[in-house]
Amino acid sequence: MTGSAEGAERTPGRLAALLIDASAEAISAAGGHAGGVYLRSRTPGLLRLAVLEGLPGPLFTPWWRLHVDRPFPVADAYRLGVEVVLPNATETMRRYPQFAAGLPFQFGSLHVPVAGGSTVFGVLSVLRPSASDSTELLSARERMARLAEELGAELEKLADGDASVVSWEGGPVCVRPPAGRPPSGRLGRFSWDPATGAVTADERLNLVLGRAAGEADGTVEGFAQALAPGDAEPILAALREAAGGRSPALPLYAHGADGALRLVEVWGPYDDPARSGAATVRGVVLDPGPSTVADAAADLLPDGVFCLDRLGAVVYANPRAAALLRRPRTELLGRPLWEGVPWLNQPAVEDHLRGALLSPEPVHFHVRRPSTHEPEPAAAPPFGGDWLALSVYPGPDFLTCTLRPGHRMADSPSGLPDAHASPEPVGAPSLSPLYRPIVLAIALTEAVTARQVSAVVMRELLPAFGGRRLAIYLLQERHLYLAWETGFPKGFLAPFEGVGLDARLPGVETLTSGRPLFFDSMQQLADAYPGIALDATEGARAFLPLIASGRSVGSCILGFDRPRSFSTEERTVLTAMAGLIAHAMEKARRYESEAALARGLQQALLPRRLSQHPLMETAGRYLPGTQGMEVGGDWYDVAAAGDGMALVIGDVQGHGVQAAATMGQLRTAVRAFAVGDRPPDEVMSGTNRLLIDLDSGLFASCCYIRLDPATGLAQAAVAGHLPPLLRRPDGRTQVVDLPGGVVLGVDPQARYPVAELRMEPGSVLALYTDGLVERPGTDIDDGISALRVALARAGAPAARAGARSLAGVADRLTARARHTPDRPDDIALLLATRRAAPPHRK
């Protein structure tokens, strides 16, 4: 980065150029069809998609922003600093089900962190055709790793000591991918000097514009007018954006004087070595020239044919396609499909186009065209009009689309179109366009109990599909038990509680067969299962099997108020949703069983009572977190240490059984060292080596204080833990700044210095874990300061009963946490006070 203001202003342009070049090379190196670069943003923990190459940005807006804690491959690559290789959709679904649910198509992907020095700037990602396994991608991985390393070095230079320069705000720059073959037509180049206004074109571009060699326009406005008389303004806007260091959306399509579609791309600004300090904007113009034989032949086809580039812009449309889409060809060419044909701007069409862009298989679907007398919707089709059959055939550079009149029929029970079926009734909208799997998938990542999963399904799935009733049954010992229900008459589901797998009921048979069952009406359900109990409605029912990784989990029932049919797309989406629900329920079961085990383990490991001393009083409090496992590795203890007492508090990283078990081992080790009256530094060093030898992959913080109650002299050793607080008898309360070593479990040679402090009679010493002082979005020092003030107030002498009780002080310090329903972490607190020695009697 240069020191001048002009250099700083041009940094965004140079940054985008670096990212675009790296993305193009990575796509080529990995044999991909699309890719891009995520960069960190100014918002902590948030990555933004800076460059998207080969895919239209508007179709992928849910992926423009990504938090580093999300279970997505880009987030893991950034947070962990490792390559993430997903050779195919199967491996993607296994490792990242939420990511796979949002893009449920047949493709593989590679994600490589981009780092310069000790700074991770972002992630380089490529989407490519599926491979059988990771071994096929070894060469691609090596080449992408080199590219990421080179890009990281360039970004480090650009940052020039200020890493905040290399960050991204806003949406991505969308660019065309590297062409799979040389472009047809005439390619010309030009440059523009914003300082002088001079535009220089090469000989081929002059030929395209019909000008003599060396002939120049007086202004950039004249050049844009000559290039595209009807589209001069967008070209001028792009040139000015590039001159200002902002990357314009690429590519631009413009119509020449003869109506032919021209492709224009611009970049810059670039330093001109021939003119010190000057910068130019450069560009290329691709003119396809006269229509090819293939285009001329396609113009005569009876079906509609149009082509989209990899960014979704229409680059060709035959007369029949224009007629079926009810748009003049001049309004289609060069514009994104969803802008040229607004009634195609709907979620269902977006999903199909994403599928064609990401996987090699053609996509076939129906879309409803509005009636000519109806106003055109902004984003969703009306439910009148007629049907068009649309097929999309993927290609390396273009999507070829065919279009013909058609009518969408209700699907038969077999799932195949029924030629004698009636079209869906007007006013009964298709359900699948209204819902995308990513919505439910992301919501389910936050649910960790069966009730939370059920609540998410009720909140996200039912409204999207127009359902009014939901029942979720879980399998236990070959019987189904109701886990959640809503919308059914009171007591209606009671007779089905605990039914065995031999019962002939649709909720049972959908699970035992693994096939979803759909009934357009209650009458259809009654015909299939004579004698089954029915509620008062006549609506449709869907019975979905909940199966996760081949294991039976349960079944899900969706109820609708009115009869309706289920299309093939709707059945597919609902079945996919059932798989997501099943995986979430299976995860919830594991969490709940592990949580019960961990809670029991921790109850057994935490001290039931604290060691006593005539000159000391102690009080401890432990509050489990209320998110996730609800059990962590926080602990406290008081143990005899020779003629003194040992005060201990610690925090093992993580939650669950492993964290609780590791906590128990460390507590036992520290207590053993204390009983042997080992010096505090030896206690920390010995416990550190023990944790490393356990090879649990966890680390822990700890504070160990040996106090002599008779003299008040204390010796302390700290391993990465928060500083204690000391309240003196006069009410003055301070943070005790102790020297410390690294956390336990990291460095086998770590040293832990010993510090001394003195407790006067009546003083209160407070040891605590971060759950008590850490708040999202605030500095932990502010939390420690707030605890210091609270200790000063809670421990102040007062006339009210219990004011001097140490247990009462502990309760007051944890009162707010106890009444907070959503605690992200465990809380441990240990208080100790020293009593005055009784007067010596002669």
Side-chain angles (χ1 to χ4, degrees):
M1 184 180 75
T2 65
S4 67
E6 180 185 5
E9 184 177 331
R10 295 204 304 266
T11 295
R14 290 202 296 273
L15 174 60
L18 284 172
L19 302 181
I20 290 170
D21 290 346
S23 177
E25 291 182 33
I27 291 172
S28 176
H33 43 58
V37 182
Y38 278 88
L39 283 187
R40 58 188 187 172
S41 69
R42 296 190 185 97
T43 303
L46 184 68
L47 301 177
R48 290 186 181 272
L49 184 58
V51 168
L52 180 60
E53 196 153 344
L55 295 173
L59 294 189
F60 292 86
T61 49
W63 295 269
W64 286 14
R65 296 157 40 106
L66 185 64
H67 199 278
V68 296
D69 288 333
R70 288 291 184 187
F72 282 72
V74 168
D76 278 0
Y78 178 86
R79 189 180 67 257
L80 304 176
V82 298
E83 299 174 14
V84 177
V85 180
L86 303 171
N88 48 51
T90 301
E91 182 68 7
T92 304
M93 175 59 81
R94 185 184 70 81
R95 295 176 57 187
Y96 298 96
Q98 289 81 16
F99 176 60
L103 296 171
F105 312 113
Q106 295 298 318
F107 69 95
S109 59
L110 294 90
H111 312 270
V112 182
V114 176
S118 60
T119 302
V120 180
F121 293 109
V123 177
L124 183 62
S125 295
V126 169
L127 310 183
R128 65 177 312 283
S130 294
S132 59
D133 55 49
S134 298
T135 57
E136 292 186 30
L137 305 180
L138 289 177
S139 175
R141 290 174 62 179
E142 292 174 358
R143 296 178 65 186
M144 275 192 66
R146 287 198 299 270
L147 289 170
E149 184 178 355
E150 293 168 3
L151 176 60
E154 292 295 327
L155 295 181
E156 188 177 21
K157 290 180 187 176
L158 188 64
D160 193 21
D162 183 3
S164 64
V165 171
V166 183
S167 62
W168 197 266
E169 304 298 324
V173 176
C174 299
V175 295
R176 298 172 70 236
R181 57 189 176 203
S184 59
R186 297 172 291 181
L187 183 70
R189 292 178 169 81
F190 68 91
S191 63
W192 170 49
D193 184 347
T196 65
V199 179
T200 305
D202 67 4
E203 182 178 349
R204 284 172 291 185
L205 182 54
N206 282 324
L207 183 63
V208 169
L209 301 179
R211 304 189 310 186
E215 182 181 347
D217 295 291
T219 63
V220 69
E221 289 81 4
F223 171 76
Q225 188 66 26
L227 182 62
D231 297 312
E233 282 304 317
I235 292 177
L236 284 172
L239 289 168
R240 289 164 182 157
E241 282 186 16
R246 299 178 301 276
S247 299
L250 301 176
L252 302 167
Y253 287 101
H255 295 84
D258 59 355
L261 193 65
R262 290 170 175 166
L263 173 67
V264 183
E265 296 193 24
V266 295
W267 304 274
Y270 290 89
D271 293 329
D272 189 342
R275 301 171 59 238
S276 177
T280 62
V281 173
R282 300 174 187 173
V284 297
V285 178
L286 176 63
D287 184 272
S291 297
T292 64
V293 175
D295 289 350
D299 283 350
L300 303 177
L301 292 176
D303 289 339
V305 177
F306 61 94
C307 295
L308 308 176
D309 72 0
R310 299 286 303 184
L311 296 190
V314 180
V315 295
Y316 167 77
N318 71 354
R320 181 58 173 158
L324 289 172
L325 296 173
R326 297 191 181 130
R327 284 290 185 277
R329 293 173 79 178
T330 54
E331 293 184 14
L332 290 173
L333 296 178
R335 302 180 66 183
L337 179 64
W338 41 91
E339 291 182 10
V341 190
W343 52 267
L344 287 178
N345 186 15
Q346 51 179 290
V349 177
E350 290 181 4
D351 282 337
H352 291 305
L353 289 178
R354 277 193 286 266
L357 286 161
L358 294 177
S359 57
E361 298 301 321
V363 174
H364 310 281
F365 60 99
H366 286 73
V367 63
R368 197 189 299 271
R369 178 177 61 179
S371 302
T372 54
H373 65 277
E374 293 175 340
E376 206 166 83
F383 299 118
D386 52 358
W387 291 97
L388 297 177
L390 186 61
S391 297
V392 185
Y393 298 88
D397 300 317
F398 301 100
L399 305 181
T400 301
C401 310
T402 63
L403 195 64
R404 63 178 64 89
H407 55 276
R408 181 169 175 176
M409 295 299 187
D411 293 344
S412 65
S414 67
L416 300 174
D418 183 353
H420 302 288
S422 301
E424 293 180 32
V426 174
S430 174
L431 303 183
S432 55
L434 302 178
Y435 195 77
R436 286 174 291 183
I438 189 172
V439 178
L440 182 65
I442 292 176
L444 286 174
T445 61
E446 307 296 335
V448 295
T449 68
R451 289 189 63 81
Q452 289 174 344
V453 171
S454 302
V456 166
V457 175
M458 182 186 71
R459 183 178 68 246
E460 302 288 347
L461 191 63
L462 278 188
F465 281 83
R468 295 291 183 269
R469 292 165 173 76
L470 169 69
I472 295 180
Y473 284 86
L474 296 182
L475 182 64
Q476 297 178 20
E477 298 180 353
R478 297 188 57 80
H479 289 78
L480 288 174
Y481 295 93
L482 186 65
W484 182 279
E485 64 96 6
T486 184
F488 287 93
K490 185 176 181 180
F492 174 74
L493 297 176
F496 304 104
E497 179 73 1
V499 296
L501 294 186
D502 56 349
R504 190 175 184 276
L505 292 169
V508 173
E509 293 190 358
T510 189
L511 180 62
T512 56
S513 67
R515 297 190 305 270
L517 302 174
F518 298 93
F519 301 95
D520 297 352
S521 66
M522 295 297 280
Q523 184 58 51
Q524 193 177 84
L525 175 60
D527 292 341
Y529 293 88
I532 190 173
L534 305 175
D535 57 35
T537 66
E538 291 296 325
R541 291 287 184 273
F543 295 84
L544 309 173
L546 301 182
I547 299 175
S549 303
R551 296 186 300 275
S552 298
V553 176
S555 59
C556 176
I557 304 171
L558 296 179
F560 301 84
D561 283 346
R562 295 184 299 171
R564 65 166 328 281
S565 59
F566 296 89
S567 69
T568 300
E569 293 96 332
E570 292 159 1
R571 297 179 185 208
T572 301
V573 170
L574 285 170
T575 303
M577 295 302 94
L580 285 176
I581 297 167
H583 277 281
M585 280 294 185
E586 185 72 1
K587 181 185 73 173
R589 276 182 163 180
R590 291 196 301 269
Y591 267 112
E592 289 171 344
S593 61
E594 187 176 344
L597 176 60
R599 279 193 293 269
L601 178 60
Q602 191 168 51
Q603 290 289 335
L605 293 175
L606 285 172
R608 296 185 179 182
R609 62 183 183 85
L610 302 177
S611 298
Q612 304 290 319
H613 191 284
L615 298 181
M616 279 185 61
E617 180 184 356
T618 57
R621 295 292 183 267
Y622 172 78
L623 299 175
T626 57
Q627 295 179 0
M629 288 297 301
E630 301 183 358
V631 175
D634 293 20
W635 93 93
Y636 62 86
D637 201 0
V638 178
D643 56 359
M645 299 294 290
L647 308 174
V648 189
I649 196 160
D651 184 1
V652 177
Q653 167 219 10
H655 295 79
V657 171
Q658 186 179 15
T662 302
M663 176 270 285
Q665 291 171 303
L666 294 186
R667 176 176 173 263
T668 302
V670 172
R671 176 171 274 269
F673 286 131
V675 170
D677 202 15
R678 303 281 289 279
D681 55 335
E682 292 185 20
V683 174
M684 288 291 94
S685 297
T687 308
N688 176 51
R689 288 192 293 273
L690 170 67
L691 183 55
I692 292 173
D693 290 343
L694 289 175
D695 197 22
S696 64
L698 301 179
F699 58 84
S701 67
C702 185
C703 179
Y704 180 92
I705 298 178
R706 185 196 183 281
L707 174 66
D708 184 348
T711 64
L713 180 64
Q715 293 182 313
V718 177
H721 202 80
L722 298 174
L725 301 178
L726 179 63
R727 184 190 181 281
R728 300 190 181 278
D730 59 4
R732 290 181 296 121
T733 305
Q734 68 184 81
V735 177
V736 183
D737 188 14
L738 299 174
V742 297
V743 293
L744 306 174
V746 174
D747 179 8
Q749 306 302 321
R751 294 291 180 264
Y752 299 93
V754 177
E756 291 189 352
L757 66 147
R758 186 174 295 276
M759 285 184 64
E760 303 168 67
S763 298
V764 177
L765 185 67
L767 308 180
Y768 53 92
T769 58
D770 55 5
L772 187 60
V773 294
E774 200 167 32
R775 300 285 183 274
T778 63
D779 193 296
I780 195 169
D781 289 337
D782 295 336
I784 295 174
S785 296
L787 180 63
R788 180 184 60 79
V789 172
L791 177 61
R793 292 174 178 171
R800 65 184 183 274
R804 294 180 181 273
S805 165
L806 202 62
V809 173
D811 288 337
R812 284 191 289 279
L813 293 182
T814 56
R816 179 179 176 182
R818 282 200 311 274
H819 293 92
T820 300
D822 197 20
R823 293 192 298 271
D825 200 0
D826 300 1
I827 292 171
L829 172 69
L830 176 62
L831 301 181
T833 186
R834 179 178 169 236
R835 300 188 181 105
H840 179 68
R841 294 182 180 178
K842 295 185 179 180

